[in-house]
Amino acid sequence: MNATRKKEIVKIAASLIKEKGYNAVSMRDIAQAMNIKAASLYNHISGKQEILSSLIIEVAEKFTEEMNTIASENLSPLQKIERVIEIHIDITVNYSENIATLNNDWMHLEGSALKRVVKMREDYEENFRKIIKKGISEGEIKSKHPEVILFSILSTLRTLYLWNEKRGKMDVNVLKKDMVAVLLKGIV
Amino acid sequence: MNATRKKEIVKIAASLIKEKGYNAVSMRDIAQAMNIKAASLYNHISGKQEILSSLIIEVAEKFTEEMNTIASENLSPLQKIERVIEIHIDITVNYSENIATLNNDWMHLEGSALKRVVKMREDYEENFRKIIKKGISEGEIKSKHPEVILFSILSTLRTLYLWNEKRGKMDVNVLKKDMVAVLLKGIV
DNA sequence: AAGCAAAACTAACGATTGTTAGTTAAACTG
DNA sequence: CAGTTTAACTAACAATCGTTAGTTTTGCTT
């Protein structure tokens, strides 16, 4: 039970699943990408589900931790939203394969792992919603429909992984600045 | 070869694929949802691929048509973006299952259907990009990175189908107004 | 070098997949 | 109502799936 070998498997699997989706990637596909046979994978992992849940929970926990930190900080709502945008960009840059799987294949999780991830997602959204509502009630945010704002910002952040490759030469800090500007102040 | 029966199959399949993804839905699942046996499906369709391609191409063509109309109209860049937002909302309301599949399962298309959809997607994005660039060069849009704007607006519009159910009582025209406001003028 | 644990292998299993062949029932058409 | 097309059915196929059992090889420890 070499732990680093398990991480290798999960990492290889992540890149395959990102491209083709969980159900379209077989254990034999993953094994081949590691230059071993499918049965050998089971010396390191309990099954395909464990690959999926490791992959997803790793990054979901990251989001939860960061969001909890932001929620407890002493910042204005707008400053908090700015921080949320930044941590999304940071996590996306470092875990883009995991995020693809979290977004597209979370529903293939089973049992307690599924419940846990759904709960984390709901809590995350609820934290974000509270920040926006406070921003509206304090007058820092103008629009009246928090759901539209929540949805609009979160959609952009969640699909950032799709554009990260095209990002090319653009520096991460430039991207952060631009995204904060576009999402908060609009384009006109 | 009853054409309306084929449409029924595609429609039922769309709702199943939206929930579980293309590869997780079997022909037997689709047949069961129609209260027939899997083999009977083949009296109306040539195979699973035809279900997928019908489903996706139907809505992809809708987007292409509408975008081409907008591109050829005599409007300012900002007015055109406003129209793009509106047609996305309209199409999402009427084809939410198809859009889910277009977004999540286009890569499971094969052969010419795959090429065609990828081409339509690229053309659509290129049309949008031109509008944004023109808006920037004419001074109507302030930010300097068109890719960030393109990505940000398009991500929001493409994942709108996920939030459409939660939309609940919100009127479509109210949603259009709010989304235009948030995406163009920001939230501060 | 011997012993041992880790990690690879071969082979096979039961289940499920998309699809085809051949047949029966249903429903139009004349 | 006879004849014919349409659309359902049963049965089965080859392929692939995740996984297990048992075996051999690898590589570290003493």
Side-chain angles (χ1 to χ4, degrees), chain A residues 20 145 155 159 178 184 187, chain B residues 108 145 155 159 178 184 187:
Chain A
K20 310 206 288 175
H145 285 126
S155 292
T159 50
D178 272 26
L184 298 190
I187 65 173
Chain B
H108 298 121
H145 286 125
S155 292
T159 49
D178 271 27
L184 298 190
I187 64 174

Side-chain angles (χ1 to χ4, degrees), chain B residues 82-100:
Chain B
E82 203 167 319
R83 293 265 345 253
V84 170
I85 295 171
E86 288 168 358
I87 65 113
H88 257 277
I89 293 175
D90 282 331
I91 297 177
T92 297
V93 168
N94 295 318
Y95 298 85
S96 79
E97 273 99 0
N98 300 54
I99 291 177

Side-chain angles (χ1 to χ4, degrees), chain B residues 59-147:
Chain B
V59 66
E61 277 176 346
K62 210 93 187 167
F63 276 117
T64 296
E65 284 170 25
E66 300 279 8
M67 176 56 97
N68 287 341
T69 302
I70 292 172
S72 69
E73 279 173 337
N74 189 19
L75 297 170
S76 80
L78 268 185
Q79 285 172 319
K80 286 186 178 183
I81 294 177
E82 203 167 319
R83 293 265 345 253
V84 170
I85 295 171
E86 288 168 358
I87 65 113
H88 257 277
I89 293 175
D90 282 331
I91 297 177
T92 297
V93 168
N94 295 318
Y95 298 85
S96 79
E97 273 99 0
N98 300 54
I99 291 177
T101 307
L102 170 63
N103 276 339
N104 303 326
D105 291 308
W106 62 269
M107 74 286 282
H108 298 121
L109 285 170
E110 297 170 359
S112 62
L114 175 60
K115 278 187 190 170
R116 185 153 162 237
V117 168
V118 169
K119 179 74 160 53
M120 289 170 86
R121 202 181 181 90
E122 287 170 352
D123 289 347
Y124 185 93
E125 283 185 18
E126 186 56 27
N127 271 320
F128 204 165
R129 189 176 289 111
K130 277 181 187 160
I131 295 173
I132 293 170
K133 282 185 175 174
K134 198 173 181 195
I136 294 175
S137 71
E138 289 180 359
E140 222 179 9
I141 295 172
K142 62 183 177 193
S143 172
K144 27 255 100 172
H145 286 125
E147 289 304 321

Side-chain angles (χ1 to χ4, degrees), chain A residues 18-21 23-24 78 81 104 107-108 121 125 129 140-145 147-163 166 170 174-175 178-179 181-188, chain B residues 18-21 23-24 78 81 104 107-108 121 125 129 140-145 147-163 166 170 174-175 178-179 181-188:
Chain A
K18 178 186 178 184
E19 297 303 322
K20 310 206 288 175
N23 278 295
L78 270 186
I81 293 176
N104 303 326
M107 74 285 280
H108 299 121
R121 202 181 181 89
E125 283 185 19
R129 188 177 289 111
E140 222 179 8
I141 295 173
K142 62 184 178 194
S143 170
K144 30 243 123 154
H145 285 126
E147 289 303 322
V148 175
I149 298 174
L150 174 65
F151 144 65
S152 161
I153 294 180
L154 212 43
S155 292
T156 303
L157 295 178
R158 279 181 177 159
T159 50
L160 187 56
Y161 77 95
L162 286 172
W163 303 69
K166 298 186 192 167
M170 191 185 271
V174 175
L175 180 62
D178 272 26
M179 292 224 24
V182 169
L183 292 177
L184 298 190
K185 297 177 209 155
I187 65 173
V188 298
Chain B
K18 179 186 178 184
E19 296 304 322
K20 310 206 288 174
N23 278 294
L78 268 185
I81 294 177
N104 303 326
M107 74 286 282
H108 298 121
R121 202 181 181 90
E125 283 185 18
R129 189 176 289 111
E140 222 179 9
I141 295 172
K142 62 183 177 193
S143 172
K144 27 255 100 172
H145 286 125
E147 289 304 321
V148 175
I149 298 175
L150 173 65
F151 144 66
S152 164
I153 294 179
L154 213 42
S155 292
T156 303
L157 296 178
R158 280 181 176 158
T159 49
L160 188 56
Y161 76 96
L162 286 171
W163 303 69
K166 298 185 190 166
M170 190 185 272
V174 176
L175 180 62
D178 271 27
M179 292 227 17
V182 169
L183 291 177
L184 298 190
K185 297 177 207 152
I187 64 174
V188 296

Side-chain angles (χ1 to χ4, degrees), chain A:
Chain A
M1 52 153 185
N2 186 341
T4 75
R5 196 77 173 132
K6 176 180 166 183
K7 282 184 187 169
E8 287 177 354
I9 294 172
V10 171
K11 191 171 183 179
I12 288 268
S15 67
L16 294 177
I17 295 173
K18 178 186 178 184
E19 297 303 322
K20 310 206 288 175
Y22 178 69
N23 278 295
V25 175
S26 71
M27 293 299 273
R28 286 166 179 85
D29 290 335
I30 298 169
Q32 192 172 44
M34 298 212 52
N35 289 310
I36 60 177
K37 300 295 174 183
S40 305
L41 294 170
Y42 291 80
N43 286 320
H44 307 285
I45 47 131
S46 68
K48 202 183 176 188
Q49 266 289 312
E50 194 192 352
I51 295 178
L52 184 64
S53 59
S54 301
L55 198 45
I56 286 182
I57 285 175
E58 182 185 19
V59 67
E61 277 177 345
K62 211 91 187 170
F63 276 117
T64 297
E65 284 170 25
E66 299 279 8
M67 177 57 97
N68 287 342
T69 302
I70 292 172
S72 70
E73 279 172 336
N74 189 20
L75 296 171
S76 80
L78 270 186
Q79 286 173 318
K80 286 186 178 183
I81 293 176
E82 203 167 321
R83 292 267 343 253
V84 170
I85 294 171
E86 288 168 358
I87 64 115
H88 257 277
I89 293 175
D90 282 331
I91 296 177
T92 297
V93 168
N94 295 318
Y95 297 86
S96 78
E97 274 96 3
N98 300 55
I99 292 177
T101 307
L102 170 63
N103 276 339
N104 303 326
D105 292 306
W106 62 268
M107 74 285 280
H108 299 121
L109 285 170
E110 298 169 358
S112 62
L114 175 61
K115 279 188 190 169
R116 185 152 162 240
V117 168
V118 169
K119 179 74 160 52
M120 288 170 86
R121 202 181 181 89
E122 286 170 352
D123 288 348
Y124 185 93
E125 283 185 19
E126 186 56 27
N127 271 321
F128 204 165
R129 188 177 289 111
K130 276 181 188 160
I131 295 174
I132 293 170
K133 283 185 174 172
K134 198 172 182 197
I136 293 175
S137 71
E138 289 180 359
E140 222 179 8
I141 295 173
K142 62 184 178 194
S143 170
K144 30 243 123 154
H145 285 126
E147 289 303 322
V148 175
I149 298 174
L150 174 65
F151 144 65
S152 161
I153 294 180
L154 212 43
S155 292
T156 303
L157 295 178
R158 279 181 177 159
T159 50
L160 187 56
Y161 77 95
L162 286 172
W163 303 69
N164 191 40
E165 296 143 3
K166 298 186 192 167
R167 176 174 61 93
K169 296 289 175 190
M170 191 185 271
D171 181 73
V172 176
N173 288 314
V174 175
L175 180 62
K176 283 181 183 174
K177 268 198 135 182
D178 272 26
M179 292 224 24
V180 167
V182 169
L183 292 177
L184 298 190
K185 297 177 209 155
I187 65 173
V188 298

